[in-house]
């Protein structure tokens, strides 16, 4: 029993379990994507027009993407403190909103509702910052894959939480707000202390194991797609919803088996080294290093055993963060390239305005479905599809862009350009709808929105290093709320209300005669989404500037410095 308990402790303290804990926290970090599901409840309960509702969604986006506070907190506090802060903010923000919508609290002012949803949405930044930074530092040579997987789980979050709320509360979208208040907060409390920065140990099959994580994630995404389609065609009982949730938990349990397997291999490897004489280890160590080097397709580095002995123990946790985060190249040419990249830091601003377009489409899915005559059940399917394809977008951006960099030296921003042009097509499908076009548009919107997440974080880490990654990555998102406010509130909300008022006046009514301002028909969102498509196309053209500016930087081996350690 002592050996079993010792192995359990070894697993919990290992970096693979830390990665798993980060994934599980990410499952609850996609709550802002669910706004399209419960926004109609807020609109109906509080009597908001579309512009006021979109103002609320702007503050949701403002909280989701302005993570400067979480980045600064992460610079001076331990990871567990960052995560627990996010847990408290998540529960407080969404729980108060649920009290309001459920009628258990008096109707607040609009600015108070904006504050509540900002607090709840901003908690996502604390969760993501607390999980992403340690994982990127712990797996520095596969950061693209790590970011793709972590952000991918955020994408699946909305679909997973939807299934759980249907299993627990039934078809009551008000209770969805209660679920997203307590469940993500609970996940953070349970797993917060398992996530921390560790010494990055060489693992010859590290990327292979990450692909195993990817296969399980894809299996989960495909299951969610199948169950979503079945729920569209058939009326599920409460037991059927519970069964689907149990199946989701069973798939997630496979990740624990993978983690246990890898930690068992590591534990056995350490035991073998411990029982061998030191002289035998000294003669074998260069061989192991060369084997691992060949596995990673790098040239073997010759070093004496005394040098290895003096170098290896000096890497402490604190130094691991500092040394592995500083993008200090070993060659003058690499240094010149990074200096050139630093001079162009402000061009990353052009990466983000298009995100406002994607967020506008996601936030208005409920009203888009309503205006085109889709039932409430179908609108939930739109949100689930957006969440699932958000996962595929993040995984695609992480793994595919990583392959393009390592094998073909293709600039990662080029993938962003492709996603922007693709998103423009999705918006046109809403502006000029045809049968089932909203299904396709929600999938495209989710895919491109998810891809931008992974690409932003990866590009920032490559151009500026990891030393101040938590702050810089959150700075890169500052333009998102601005784009959301302009495109969502001032454009989409205003144009929607104008058409709705015209329809109201055509029926001989005035605004004061109805509690909820509703627009029906294709014209409700046509002009707005034509504008969104134009913005996405413009953003794609601008992002080509970043491709050209970083082309020479990505033509080199950007991960060489990590393999030389």
């Amino acid at each position: 029993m002592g050996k079993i308990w010792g192995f359990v402790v070894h697993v919990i303290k290992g970096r693979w379990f830390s990665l798993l804990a980060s994934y599980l926290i990410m499952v609850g970090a996609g709550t802002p994507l669910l706004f399209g599901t419960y926004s109609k409840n807020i609109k109906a309960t509080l009597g908001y027009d579309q512009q006021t509702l979109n103002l609320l969604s702007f503050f949701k986006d403002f909280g989701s993407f302005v993570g400067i506070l979480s980045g600064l907190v992460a610079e001076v506090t331990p990871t567990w403190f960052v995560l627990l802060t996010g847990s408290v903010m998540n529960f407080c923000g969404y729980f108060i909103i649920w009290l309001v919508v459920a009628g258990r609290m008096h109707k607040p002012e609009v600015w108070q509702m904006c504050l509540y949803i900002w607090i709840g949405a901003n908690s996502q930044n604390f969760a993501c910052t607390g999980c992403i930074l340690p994982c990127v530092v712990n797996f520095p040579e596969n950061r693209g894959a790590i970011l793709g997987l972590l952000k991918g789980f955020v994408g699946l979050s909305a679909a997973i939480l939807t299934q759980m709320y249907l299993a627990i509360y039934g078809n009551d979208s008000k209770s969805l707000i209660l679920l997203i208040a307590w469940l993500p907060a609970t996940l953070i409390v349970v797993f917060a202390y398992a996530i921390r920065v560790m010494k990055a140990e060489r693992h010859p099959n590290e990327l292979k194991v990450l692909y195993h994580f990817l296969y399980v994630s894809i299996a989960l995404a495909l299951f969610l797609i199948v169950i979503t389609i079945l729920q569209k065609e058939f009326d599920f009982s409460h037991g059927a919803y519970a069964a689907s949730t149990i199946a989701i938990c069973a798939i997630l349990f496979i990740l624990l088996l993978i983690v246990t397997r890898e930690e068992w291999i590591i534990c056995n490897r350490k035991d073998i080294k411990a029982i061998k004489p030191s002289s035998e280890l000294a003669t074998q160590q260069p061989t192991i290093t060369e084997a691992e080097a060949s596995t990673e397709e790098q040239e073997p580095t010759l070093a004496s055993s005394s040098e290895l002995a003096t170098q290896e123990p000096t890497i402490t946790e604190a130094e691991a963060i500092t040394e592995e985060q500083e993008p200090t190249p070993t060659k003058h040419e690499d240094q010149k390239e990074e200096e050139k990249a630093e001079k162009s830091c402000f061009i990353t601003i052009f990466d983000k305005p298009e995100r406002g377009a994607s967020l506008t489409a996601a936030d208005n899915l409920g009203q888009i479905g309503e205006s085109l005559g889709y039932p409430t059940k179908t609108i939930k399917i739109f949100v689930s599809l957006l969440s699932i394809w958000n996962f595929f977008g993040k995984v695609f951006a992480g793994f595919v862009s990583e392959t393009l960099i390592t094998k073909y030296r293709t600039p990662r921003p080029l993938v962003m350009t492709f996603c922007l042009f693709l998103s423009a097509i999705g918006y046109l499908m809403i502006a000029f709808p045809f049968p089932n076009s909203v299904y396709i548009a929600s999938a495209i919107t989710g895919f491109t929105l998810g891809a931008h997440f992974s690409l932003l974080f990866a590009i920032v880490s490559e151009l500026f290093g990891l030393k101040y990654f938590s702050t810089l990555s959150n700075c890169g998102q500052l333009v998102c709320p601005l784009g959301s406010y302009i495109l969502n509130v001032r454009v989409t909300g205003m144009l929607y209300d104008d058409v709705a008022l015209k329809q109201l006046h055509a029926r001989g009514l005035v605004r004061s005669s109805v509690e909820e301002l509703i627009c029906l028909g294709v014209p409700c969102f046509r002009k707005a989404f034509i504008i969104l498509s134009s913005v996405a196309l413009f953003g794609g053209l601008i992002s080509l500037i970043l491709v050209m500016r970083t082309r020479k930087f990505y033509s080199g081996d950007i991960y060489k410095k990590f393999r030389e350690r």
Side-chain angles (χ1 to χ4, degrees):
M1 289 299 296
K3 290 184 178 180
I4 294 176
W5 176 249
F7 176 68
V8 171
V9 173
H10 171 78
V11 171
I12 294 176
K13 290 184 176 181
R15 63 174 183 149
W16 288 105
F17 186 82
S18 178
L19 182 62
L20 173 61
S22 299
Y23 288 160
L24 296 179
I25 290 178
M26 291 296 98
V27 167
T31 52
L33 291 175
L34 288 166
F35 183 80
T37 300
Y38 63 81
S39 61
K40 182 172 175 58
N41 295 108
I42 296 177
K43 186 178 181 180
T45 302
L46 302 179
Y48 290 162
D49 56 23
Q50 189 63 28
Q51 191 169 355
T52 304
L53 185 67
N54 283 359
L55 178 64
L56 193 66
S57 72
F58 157 71
F59 276 92
K60 171 189 68 70
D61 297 334
F62 184 70
S64 299
F65 295 108
V66 178
I68 295 296
L69 178 60
S70 63
L72 294 175
V73 171
E75 297 284 356
V76 297
T77 62
T79 301
W80 62 264
F81 182 84
V82 177
L83 291 171
L84 292 182
T85 301
S87 175
V88 173
M89 292 176 64
N90 182 91
F91 180 78
C92 292
Y94 286 115
F95 186 70
I96 294 176
I97 293 175
W98 175 75
L99 290 176
V100 172
V101 174
R104 303 187 182 189
M105 182 177 174
H106 65 85
K107 180 179 177 180
E109 299 292 334
V110 174
W111 71 266
Q112 293 175 317
M113 283 294 292
C114 292
L115 176 62
Y116 301 150
I117 202 165
W118 180 89
I119 293 174
N122 193 250
S123 66
Q124 174 189 332
N125 290 299
F126 285 84
C128 291
T129 300
C131 293
I132 289 176
L133 177 60
C135 290
V136 170
V137 174
N138 294 340
F139 300 87
E141 295 183 45
N142 293 291
R143 68 183 68 175
I146 290 292
L147 288 170
L149 286 170
L150 285 173
K151 287 296 185 178
F153 266 79
V154 177
L156 286 179
S157 174
I160 294 174
L161 292 176
T162 297
Q163 295 300 318
M164 289 184 173
Y165 112 80
L166 290 171
I168 298 174
Y169 298 107
N171 195 14
D172 178 14
S173 53
K174 291 182 180 179
S175 298
L176 174 62
I177 307 175
L178 178 61
L179 179 76
I180 64 179
W182 67 263
L183 182 57
T186 303
L187 289 172
I188 293 176
V189 171
V190 172
F191 294 106
Y193 294 98
I195 302 173
R196 63 193 183 282
V197 173
M198 306 174 193
K199 176 183 173 181
E201 300 178 357
R202 299 303 302 275
H203 192 297
N205 297 318
E206 183 173 288
L207 184 59
K208 182 179 179 180
V209 178
L210 293 178
Y211 268 103
H212 292 166
F213 274 77
L214 173 63
Y215 300 149
V216 175
S217 304
I218 292 175
L220 177 59
L222 293 176
F223 173 79
L224 288 169
I225 289 178
V226 172
I227 205 69
T228 300
I229 294 174
L230 291 177
Q231 289 170 2
K232 174 181 178 295
E233 299 296 331
F234 306 100
D235 291 328
F236 271 41
S237 64
H238 189 268
Y241 285 126
S244 65
T245 301
I246 293 173
I248 291 172
C249 295
I251 295 174
L252 291 174
F253 182 76
I254 298 175
L255 296 176
L256 179 60
L257 298 179
I258 295 174
V259 167
T260 305
R261 180 197 65 190
E262 291 307 310
E263 293 297 342
W264 177 262
I265 294 173
I266 293 172
C267 191
N268 287 338
R269 188 183 305 161
K270 290 181 178 179
D271 290 340
I272 292 174
K273 289 183 179 181
I275 63 176
K276 289 186 177 181
S278 57
S279 59
E280 186 178 350
L281 287 173
T283 58
Q284 290 183 1
Q285 189 169 355
T287 305
I288 296 173
T289 304
E290 290 175 10
E292 292 177 352
S294 62
T295 304
E296 298 291 335
E297 297 181 2
Q298 68 177 41
E299 296 180 2
T301 304
L302 298 179
S304 65
S305 58
S306 60
E307 289 176 336
L308 291 173
T310 56
Q311 291 174 3
E312 191 169 329
T314 61
I315 304 179
T316 62
E317 259 189 35
E319 289 171 331
I321 300 176
T322 304
E323 292 182 9
E324 294 186 8
Q325 289 172 352
E326 291 181 352
T328 306
T330 58
K331 294 183 180 180
H332 177 71
E333 183 178 354
D334 292 337
Q335 187 175 3
K336 184 178 179 181
E337 281 304 309
E338 291 206 0
E339 289 174 356
K340 181 179 179 180
E342 288 180 2
K343 292 178 182 179
S344 60
C345 64
F346 287 104
I347 63 175
T348 56
I349 291 176
F350 294 111
D351 298 346
K352 298 309 296 170
E354 71 281 356
R355 289 283 298 280
S358 296
L359 292 171
T360 300
D363 292 341
N364 287 278
L365 266 182
Q367 284 66 48
I368 291 171
E370 181 183 47
S371 67
L372 296 178
Y374 289 98
T376 303
K377 179 181 177 181
T378 305
I379 293 174
K380 291 184 175 65
I381 292 175
F382 292 154
V383 176
S384 293
L385 286 176
L386 184 142
S387 173
I388 295 167
W389 283 99
N390 186 275
F391 158 78
F392 283 116
K394 290 171 180 175
V395 170
F396 170 86
F399 280 85
V400 173
S401 65
E402 195 75 16
T403 301
L404 292 175
I405 287 175
T406 55
K407 289 189 176 182
Y408 305 105
R409 302 290 189 259
T410 303
R412 201 186 295 269
L414 186 62
V415 183
M416 180 176 288
T417 303
F418 164 77
C419 293
L420 286 169
F421 290 146
L422 180 62
S423 64
I425 298 175
Y427 306 146
L428 290 177
M429 290 183 180
I430 296 177
F432 302 96
F434 52 86
N436 297 320
S437 64
V438 182
Y439 290 98
I440 303 174
S442 61
I444 292 177
T445 300
F447 181 89
T448 54
L449 180 61
H452 290 139
F453 269 101
S454 298
L455 292 170
L456 169 69
F457 283 86
I459 292 171
V460 168
S461 71
E462 288 159 355
L463 296 185
F464 305 104
L466 300 176
K467 187 173 183 180
Y468 302 107
F469 175 70
S470 59
T471 300
L472 289 173
S473 60
N474 286 306
C475 283
Q477 300 181 131
L478 284 175
V479 179
C480 297
L482 177 61
S484 176
Y485 179 77
I486 295 174
L487 298 176
N488 199 3
V489 180
R490 306 304 300 176
V491 174
T492 304
M494 188 176 295
L495 291 176
Y496 177 97
D497 287 340
D498 286 344
V499 178
L501 287 173
K502 290 178 181 178
Q503 293 180 354
L504 197 66
H505 295 158
R507 301 201 308 266
L509 301 174
V510 295
R511 174 67 181 93
S512 59
S513 62
V514 295
E515 184 175 352
E516 181 182 359
L517 188 59
I518 298 177
C519 178
L520 299 176
V522 174
C524 298
F525 287 97
R526 171 162 288 175
K527 290 182 180 179
F529 275 79
I530 291 175
I531 295 173
L532 295 184
S533 181
S534 302
V535 170
L537 289 173
F538 178 74
L541 295 175
I542 293 298
S543 69
L544 287 175
I545 298 176
L546 185 61
V547 175
M548 300 303 297
R549 296 291 297 273
T550 59
R551 182 179 57 182
K552 192 173 181 181
F553 170 78
Y554 283 102
S555 64
D557 188 354
I558 62 175
Y559 294 148
K560 183 178 180 181
K561 55 182 172 289
F562 295 107
R563 291 194 292 268
E564 288 178 344
R565 295 191 180 277

